[in-house]
Amino acid sequence: MRCKTLTAAAVVLLMTTAGCSTLERVVYRPDINQGNYLVANDVSKIHTGMTQQQVAYTLGTPMMHDPFGSNVWYYVFRQEPGHQPVTQQTLTLTFDSNGVLTNIDNKPQLSSNKR
């Protein structure tokens, strides 16, 4: 009888901890940052009419180029802090055929209070 009680208690304990959903917040998860880290101050320095060299000097090299040419640059920053949801910042810069910046698309918009 005692063996059955211990076995039942062990099974119940195993079933309650099997998913570890209650212990998920206790387990350490490192912050994962990937891509081009940009701040609002850096983004505010670029404007239409700049050349590709000027933009690269200001922001650094882009994370991705347009796969069908070099007219679109993508600065992507993806952040996964520990147990919080993933956030992503994408800055898309479009250049004309002469390498002059014609369009800036910043989603979501960087605010001045972010670092």
Side-chain angles (χ1 to χ4, degrees), residues 1 8 10 28 36 39-40 44 51 53 59-63 67 78 80-81 89 96 105 107-108 112:
M1 181 71 163
Y28 173 73
N36 300 96
V39 293
S44 67
T51 64
Q53 291 82 12
L59 299 179
T61 57
M63 179 96 165
R78 183 178 167 93
E80 186 176 348
Q89 173 70 38
D96 65 7
D105 187 19
K107 292 184 181 174
S112 59

Side-chain angles (χ1 to χ4, degrees), residues 36 38 42 45-47 50-63 65 70 73 75 91 93 95 99-101:
N36 300 96
L38 300 175
D42 292 338
K45 292 177 185 176
I46 61 171
H47 54 84
M50 293 178 76
T51 64
Q52 289 179 337
Q53 291 82 12
Q54 291 170 327
V55 172
Y57 181 78
T58 305
L59 299 179
T61 57
M63 179 96 165
H65 288 277
S70 61
W73 287 4
Y75 290 86
L91 177 66
L93 304 177
F95 298 90
V100 176
L101 184 61

